[in-house]
Amino acid sequence: MRITPDLVACAPQFTNPMKEREIKLRAYKIPAIENLGATQDQFDTIDLSDNEIRKLENFPLLRRVKTLMLANNLIFRIGEDLKDVLPSVHTLMLANNSILNLRDLNPLVNLPALQRLVLIDNNVTKQPNYRLYVINLLPGLMVLDFARIKPKEREEAKRVFAEGANGAMVVEEPAKPTQEQITAIKAAIQNAQTLEEVSKLEAKLKAGGVVEGAGDAAMADA
């Protein structure tokens, strides 16, 4: 189901326990972010959890929105234009998505008010120095994955990550998957049991990701 003015009008709208106005657009199998201008920027919280969104992009200017909830989607890409459209967002919930590499998180620097970020159950959290990378990338962040950032973590992040001439962090490029790994992912897609599994595997393939254990499974099938 697509986001339409009719869906926005019919979706649950209420004052949440934080005394903020919230609209719930969850579990509609929404494939993409669109037409949120129909909210007329009347909400502090937008809940888009439990959908099939692949890209965090295409927002209109929403000055009022402070919290975005996007857990349990298929997001593997974050747009570069968030600063221009989401100036007040301080809480971003992205648990259980398809973000793979540390560099995929770089566009989050365009959220100037961001203080709380949740990325648990994304493969990016398994990358070496993931937590330190995010802390260094987002100096205004206070809480990452429900754990408050400590001063000693900030110091360690500064020590671990050097700065290039333009202020960008120096990070090793992720290794590209081998042809064998690509074949294994395609085989895993063919053997997937649900549409959600297929969608997540396709996202990994497009992003150059590797399915853990897929290579061994493919060799065993051969």
Side-chain angles (χ1 to χ4, degrees):
M1 181 179 293
R2 297 178 59 183
I3 300 175
T4 64
D6 286 342
L7 178 61
V8 170
C10 295
Q13 304 174 17
F14 53 93
T15 300
N16 65 24
M18 300 296 293
K19 298 184 178 181
E20 296 179 341
R21 289 296 295 165
E22 178 174 337
I23 182 169
K24 185 173 290 188
L25 292 165
R26 66 189 304 164
Y28 285 108
K29 296 186 177 180
I30 295 168
I33 295 170
E34 58 182 342
N35 297 322
L36 285 179
T39 65
Q40 300 182 9
D41 200 14
Q42 295 298 306
F43 300 97
D44 305 287
T45 298
I46 297 179
D47 187 353
L48 285 159
S49 305
D50 303 319
N51 284 298
E52 297 174 359
I53 298 167
R54 295 171 178 268
K55 300 177 183 178
L56 189 64
E57 62 179 12
N58 201 30
F59 288 91
L61 177 60
L62 297 171
R63 296 184 184 277
R64 180 171 174 175
V65 174
K66 300 178 181 64
T67 299
L68 279 175
M69 303 172 69
L70 289 134
N72 304 321
N73 275 277
L74 303 169
I75 295 169
F76 68 92
R77 182 177 299 171
I78 299 172
E80 298 282 349
D81 63 342
L82 301 182
K83 180 178 181 180
D84 299 326
V85 293
L86 298 171
S88 303
V89 168
H90 59 61
T91 300
L92 181 59
M93 311 291 284
L94 289 171
N96 193 29
N97 276 280
S98 299
I99 302 172
L100 291 170
N101 301 312
L102 293 175
R103 56 164 40 194
D104 297 332
L105 301 175
N106 289 352
L108 292 177
V109 301
N110 295 317
L111 291 174
L114 189 61
Q115 296 181 358
R116 299 173 184 84
L117 176 64
V118 178
L119 291 164
I120 56 176
D121 294 327
N122 282 267
N123 279 345
V124 69
T125 63
K126 300 176 184 177
Q127 297 289 340
N129 291 321
Y130 150 74
R131 186 172 174 86
L132 294 180
Y133 182 90
V134 177
I135 290 171
N136 197 60
L137 178 70
L138 305 170
L141 202 65
M142 298 175 60
V143 179
L144 176 59
D145 296 337
F146 303 112
R148 182 169 291 276
I149 296 170
K150 300 176 181 179
K152 64 179 182 181
E153 288 183 301
R154 297 189 191 279
E155 294 174 4
E156 186 176 2
K158 290 179 181 179
R159 179 181 60 81
V160 170
F161 291 100
E163 289 190 350
N166 61 355
M169 288 185 293
V170 178
V171 182
E172 292 184 1
E173 293 288 331
K176 293 182 178 180
T178 65
Q179 185 59 46
E180 179 183 355
Q181 291 168 334
I182 292 174
T183 301
I185 295 175
K186 290 180 177 179
I189 290 173
Q190 292 179 348
N191 294 326
Q193 300 297 315
T194 66
L195 180 59
E196 182 179 2
E197 290 178 9
V198 172
S199 297
K200 289 203 171 188
L201 288 165
E202 287 178 344
K204 291 175 186 293
L205 184 60
K206 289 179 182 179
V210 178
V211 179
E212 294 181 5
D216 295 337
M219 292 178 65
D221 292 341

